[in-house]
Amino acid sequence: MLIDLCELSPSYVRTIAPYQPGKPISEVARELGLKEEHIIKLASNENPLGIGPRTRAAIDAALGEISRYPDGSGFELKQALSGRYGVDQASIVLGNGSNDVLELVAAAFLGPGRAAVISQHAFAVYPLATQARGARLIMVPAKSYGHDLEAMARAVDDETYVVWVANPNNPTGTLARPDELEAFLRKVPERVLVVLDEAYNEYIHADLRADPVKWLKRHPNLVVTRTFSKAYGLAGLRVGYALAHPSVADVMNRVRQPFNVNSLGLAAATAALDDMEFVARSYAVNLSGMRQLEEGARALGLAYIPSHGNFLAIHVGKAPEIFKRLLRRGVIVRPVSGYGLPEHLRVTIGTAEENDRFLAALAASIKD
Ligand code: PMP
């Protein structure tokens, strides 16, 4: 072949560094010759409780209709969300995970000659979605690992159409207070969209949690994104959504695939939204697990970034080596060097038993 077919894609696509997902259990078992049942995965911020019984029943019921296309408008889920948040259905955009919704923002509002502002250490999908559209990235240095919202507002230039804000951020777990977010929204010009990604919203302590839905009226440039992948336990079914001004939602829906959310996902998410008992249990298990890992890290003399999510970034020093040693002990965590954190490992809060296993494996891996 005389040409490199890769060269046919625009240079802004070719230069994208692919997203590094957490290693699947089956892959680690294959590579290291371990039994799958001896491996624990604390690498993708999944819910260690699985799903609630009502959600499972809704999935079972929806299986009968699987040969049909899903409801492309997602009416029932939108109706449930509309009731929960007191917003019109026209303000809701559903996605194949909230990742899809972030991509829809980029597809609808970014392109060559445009720019997006992000924070250092921010969630990897923002640069990916921005770059894939040929837009320019404006990266703002973090402050104590978190978003420096004042500097981000100042970084907005004439070409900026989107500012990405993760609250809490992954992988740092850092959180901006509601008053800081409000001050930020007042500073950003109305012609610039502020995407407030609240994938981990349900894990935030009630006293620190913002209520951005009530800001939507005052700030029509605000886009709030949430997911069923974390506290609702539906990561594998891929359902997320955005709440936004109807005009913003309208353009996002125009670039959306007609059937972007699958039928099992729609049914499961609609049922899961009502299962507040499951979400409360997920919160409680996460809180005690977070304390367990914090204490464990302190006992090992390791620093960590205080986190408001369902994960903790621990400073382990030689992260690539410790990561490999943990793998050999059947514990999968996530290296975060791609996020500018080469000496940290991010561990998802698991069940008490999983957390114990991780801490024991970490103690041994540091000594090796
Ligand atoms: N936002 C943040 C900050 C995340 O960490 C994640 C998942 N890793 C997502 C969005 C996307 O999750 P999903 O597509 O499963 O909703």
Side-chain angles (χ1 to χ4, degrees), residues 129-178:
T130 302
Q131 259 185 291
R133 301 290 158 184
R136 180 167 52 90
L137 259 188
I138 302 174
M139 167 93 81
V140 175
K143 197 162 118 188
S144 309
Y145 295 110
H147 290 27
D148 182 346
L149 290 177
E150 288 184 12
M152 288 176 77
R154 281 197 303 273
V156 167
D157 64 15
D158 288 348
E159 289 182 345
T160 304
Y161 280 79
V162 174
V163 183
W164 304 103
V165 177
N167 207 51
N169 181 44
N170 168 21
T172 56
T174 46
L175 184 80
R177 288 192 319 262

Side-chain angles (χ1 to χ4, degrees), residues 107-142:
F109 295 97
L110 292 176
R114 298 185 173 211
V117 172
I118 64 162
S119 170
Q120 181 190 15
H121 311 313
F123 181 46
V125 163
Y126 313 147
L128 284 179
T130 302
Q131 259 185 291
R133 301 290 158 184
R136 180 167 52 90
L137 259 188
I138 302 174
M139 167 93 81
V140 175

Side-chain angles (χ1 to χ4, degrees), residues 19 44-45 95-102 122-126 165-171 197-200 225-230 234-236 238-241 310-311 334 339 346:
Y19 181 80
S44 300
N45 300 344
N96 184 37
S98 60
N99 195 144
D100 186 27
V101 167
L102 300 172
F123 181 46
V125 163
Y126 313 147
V165 177
N167 207 51
N169 181 44
N170 168 21
D197 176 349
E198 297 195 317
Y200 302 95
T225 66
R226 294 203 180 150
T227 185
F228 285 94
S229 298
K230 310 295 177 185
L234 293 176
R238 317 296 306 120
V239 190
Y241 58 96
N310 66 344
F311 53 87
R334 186 77 79 93
Y339 288 86
R346 191 198 69 191

Side-chain angles (χ1 to χ4, degrees), residues 35-324:
K35 286 213 168 76
E36 287 202 14
E37 56 272 27
H38 294 160
I39 299 174
I40 56 169
K41 182 181 174 214
L42 300 173
S44 300
N45 300 344
E46 294 149 345
N47 192 324
L49 299 181
I51 56 172
R54 276 199 271 163
T55 305
R56 188 175 298 275
I59 296 168
D60 283 346
L63 273 173
E65 290 295 304
I66 206 155
S67 57
R68 302 202 180 277
Y69 281 100
D71 170 8
S73 74
F75 178 81
E76 282 180 19
L77 177 56
K78 278 192 187 166
Q79 194 175 40
L81 288 167
S82 157
R84 166 68 57 88
Y85 295 117
V87 298
D88 287 346
Q89 292 206 25
S91 286
I92 304 172
V93 182
L94 300 181
N96 184 37
S98 60
N99 195 144
D100 186 27
V101 167
L102 300 172
E103 293 282 352
L104 296 179
V105 171
F109 295 97
L110 292 176
R114 298 185 173 211
V117 172
I118 64 162
S119 170
Q120 181 190 15
H121 311 313
F123 181 46
V125 163
Y126 313 147
L128 284 179
T130 302
Q131 259 185 291
R133 301 290 158 184
R136 180 167 52 90
L137 259 188
I138 302 174
M139 167 93 81
V140 175
K143 197 162 118 188
S144 309
Y145 295 110
H147 290 27
D148 182 346
L149 290 177
E150 288 184 12
M152 288 176 77
R154 281 197 303 273
V156 167
D157 64 15
D158 288 348
E159 289 182 345
T160 304
Y161 280 79
V162 174
V163 183
W164 304 103
V165 177
N167 207 51
N169 181 44
N170 168 21
T172 56
T174 46
L175 184 80
R177 288 192 319 262
D179 59 306
E180 293 170 326
L181 289 169
E182 274 194 284
F184 174 71
L185 282 168
R186 281 194 294 271
K187 274 185 219 132
V188 175
E190 202 173 281
R191 54 159 198 88
V192 178
L193 290 187
V194 173
V195 179
L196 184 61
D197 176 349
E198 297 195 317
Y200 302 95
N201 170 62
E202 293 80 5
Y203 294 109
I204 304 172
H205 189 279
D207 293 345
L208 297 172
R209 198 180 295 158
D211 182 8
V213 179
K214 72 170 193 259
W215 299 337
L216 285 168
K217 283 217 163 57
R218 216 177 324 135
H219 298 286
N221 57 333
L222 175 63
V223 180
V224 179
T225 66
R226 294 203 180 150
T227 185
F228 285 94
S229 298
K230 310 295 177 185
Y232 292 93
L234 293 176
L237 281 180
R238 317 296 306 120
V239 190
Y241 58 96
L243 306 176
H245 187 277
S247 305
V248 172
D250 175 29
V251 253
M252 286 171 68
N253 273 317
R254 290 188 215 187
V255 289
R256 181 175 69 79
Q257 284 183 33
F259 303 107
N260 63 333
V261 188
N262 70 81
S263 49
L264 297 186
L266 287 171
T270 309
L273 191 66
D274 268 344
D275 198 347
M276 294 319 288
E277 192 270 332
F278 180 79
V279 175
R281 204 149 49 86
S282 301
Y283 173 84
V285 166
N286 188 63
L287 186 63
S288 62
M290 183 69 85
R291 297 292 165 262
Q292 188 184 356
L293 288 193
E294 286 173 343
E295 272 167 36
R298 276 200 298 273
L300 293 171
L302 299 176
Y304 54 82
I305 307 173
S307 169
H308 297 269
N310 66 344
F311 53 87
L312 187 66
I314 303 178
H315 185 265
V316 296
K318 294 189 193 117
E321 187 51 40
I322 304 286
F323 170 70
K324 276 192 234 146

